[in-house]
Amino acid sequence: MLKEMEGDSAPVTQFSKSSSFLASKQVHAVSISMPSSPLGLNPENDKRMSNVSVNHDKSSTNFAAGPPTSSRSASPRQTTQAKSYSVRMQADTTLNADRLQLSDQPSSCLIDSQRDKRTMKSFKSFKTFSGRLERQITMLRGKPVEEIKSSEGPPPQEVEVLPVDRYFDALDGPELDRLKDAEELILPEDQEWPFLLRFPISSFGICLGLSSQAILWKTLSSAPSLTFLHVSPIVNLVLWFASIAIVALISTIYTLKIIFYFEAVRREYYHPIRINFFFAPWIACLFLVMGLPPLLVKTVPPMAWYFLMAPIFCLELNIYGQWMSGGRRLSKVANPSNHLSIVGNFVGALLGATMGLKEGPLFFFAIGFAHYAVLFVTLYQRLPTNEKLPKELHPDLEDCPPLGSRVIGRFSLAWWAYTFPMTGASIATIKYTNEAPHAVNLALSIALSCISSVIVTSLLITTVIHAFVLRDLFPNDIAIAITKKKAKIVKKNSHIMKLSPLDIPLREVTVSNQ
C-alpha cells in the first residue's frame, strides 16, 4: 500500500517542480475541481458534468463542476488524493459561449445601459450651460428637483473652446467637415446625433440662393431692354414668398439650436469656415428687402436698413478685429468663404442707396472695399513664410457648385452660398444693358440669367432628393465634435499569428478529488 502511495506521489512531485518552474511566466491559472471517479476526466463523458459556474477575469479562470450522476463508487485512496497535472491549453482563456451554453444577456444589457448613459452625458455637454436651461424648463413644468438631480447623475464635462489651428489639424475637405484618420470625436460615431446638433449654420446658404433669385426675376420683369421676354411679375412674387418661408423655417430651427445647444453654436462660431456663414441670415434679409415685389410694397422705410445693418456691423467689429490683432489673423484663416463676411457691406450699401441714404451706405462701401482689397491679396498672394492653405481651400473654379459629376457625389449645403455671386453678375449685366443697349450685352444678360437659374434649380432638386429620398442631408456634424488635443496613434497588429499545438504554452491545472 505504501509503495502504491509512493508511486502516485512521484508524478505529483515531478509536475509540482515543473509548475514552479513556469510560475514566473504563468499569466493565467486554471483550477478545476473534479470528482473522485476517473470518468470525470474522460472527454466522452463530459455531458455528465453539471452546475458549471464560470468566474473569468484578467488573472484566473475557475471551473467548478458538480459530481457526475454515476453509480460507480470511488475508492478511499482516490477521495483523499489531490493531483497536479501540466497540460497544454490555449493561451487565450476566453471561453466559448456556444460550447458552455452560458447566457450573458444580463451583462450585455448592463453594458448597453452604461453606454447609453455615457452617450447622454456626452450630448449634455453641448447643451446650453451644460443643460441648466433644460433643468429650469423642467422645473417650471412641475417636476421635483430631487427627481431631476437623481435622473441626471453627475454634471457633464463642459465643452472647451478650440483654437483655430486645431480645426486645420483635425479636419479635412473643402469646408473642413471631414475627420482625418488619426483623429477622434467626443461624440459617438456609431449613432445618429440629435437633429439640432446636425443642423449646421451653412443651411442659410439656401436662403441666399432663393432670395437672390427673387431679385433676379424682379429685374427681368421690370427691365426695359428685356420686355420682349414678357416675364410676369408673378414669378418674382412666388419666389419671394418661398424665400420668406425658407428663411423663417431655417431661422426658427437655428434659434432652437442656440437655445438648447449653445455650446455647439459656439464651436461653429470658432470654425474658420463656418464663422463666415453667420453673416448669411442678415444678407438674406437684405436680399428679401431688395427683391420685395412691387405688387405688395412700393417703398421701404429707411429704419429697416438700420435694423438690418446693425448686426452686420457688430459681427464685423468682432471678426475684422480678430483678423488684425486676435488669434484668427487673416493670413492664417483666409479662404474663399471669407467673401461672405465682406459682401454684406456692398449689399447694404446698394440697398441704402436705393432708399435715398448717403452717409451710411458710403460708410459700409468704404469698409467693404478696404477689407476686400486686403482679402484679395492675402487669398491669392500668400507670403512664403505663412502656413500653406489646404489644397481643398485654394481659390479656383472648383469652389463653385458644378453641374457635372460632383453634384452626383458628396453634396454639401454650403454650395448654395456660391450661387448668389452668379445671380449678382446677371443682375449687374441686365442693368448695364438698360443703360447701353447692344446685342452682345443683351445676349450676355440672357445667358447669365439662364445659367444662374439652372444652377439654383439643380441645387434645389438635389437638396430635395437628399432630404426626402436619400435622407442624408443632415449627417452627423463632425466639425463641432473634435477633441481639443490630437489623439495618440496606437499601432495595432494587422493579423493574428496562428500558433501550432506545440507552440501553445503550458498552464497549470490542479485537480482536486472529492
Side-chain angles (χ1 to χ4, degrees), residues 405-433:
S405 60
R406 288 185 62 187
V407 174
I408 303 176
R410 187 177 181 274
F411 177 74
S412 175
L413 288 174
W415 288 3
W416 280 93
Y418 297 106
T419 59
F420 78 89
M422 177 62 71
T423 306
S426 305
I427 297 172
T429 307
I430 293 172
K431 291 186 175 182
Y432 180 77
T433 305

Side-chain angles (χ1 to χ4, degrees), residues 126-129 133 196-197 199 201 204 250-266 268 278 281-282:
F126 280 89
K127 291 187 176 181
T128 304
F129 306 111
L133 178 62
L196 293 179
L197 279 180
F199 192 81
I201 185 66
F204 282 100
I250 295 179
S251 300
T252 302
I253 296 176
Y254 204 80
T255 301
L256 293 176
K257 183 176 181 178
I258 295 175
I259 294 175
F260 293 104
Y261 292 98
F262 182 75
E263 300 300 331
V265 176
R266 186 171 64 168
E268 281 192 300
F278 282 86
W282 309 107

Side-chain angles (χ1 to χ4, degrees), residues 165-179:
D165 295 334
R166 182 68 187 122
Y167 290 97
F168 286 107
D169 294 339
L171 300 174
D172 199 359
E175 290 113 31
L176 293 180
D177 57 349
R178 294 198 297 263
L179 192 68

Side-chain angles (χ1 to χ4, degrees), residues 138-175:
T138 308
M139 291 172 59
L140 291 176
R141 291 187 299 181
K143 192 172 183 179
V145 182
E146 294 78 7
E147 185 177 353
I148 298 175
K149 292 182 179 180
S150 60
S151 61
E152 289 181 352
Q157 185 178 3
E158 295 186 359
V159 180
E160 299 175 310
V161 178
L162 302 179
V164 65
D165 295 334
R166 182 68 187 122
Y167 290 97
F168 286 107
D169 294 339
L171 300 174
D172 199 359
E175 290 113 31

Side-chain angles (χ1 to χ4, degrees), residues 438-460:
H438 194 273
V440 177
N441 298 337
L442 190 63
L444 188 60
S445 301
I446 297 175
L448 292 178
S449 301
C450 292
I451 293 174
S452 175
S453 300
V454 169
I455 290 176
V456 172
T457 304
S458 63
L459 283 178
L460 180 61

Side-chain angles (χ1 to χ4, degrees), residues 8 110 131 139 200 213 423 442 465 498:
D8 292 336
L110 181 60
M139 291 172 59
Q213 284 294 305
T423 306
L442 190 63
I465 292 175
K498 296 182 179 180

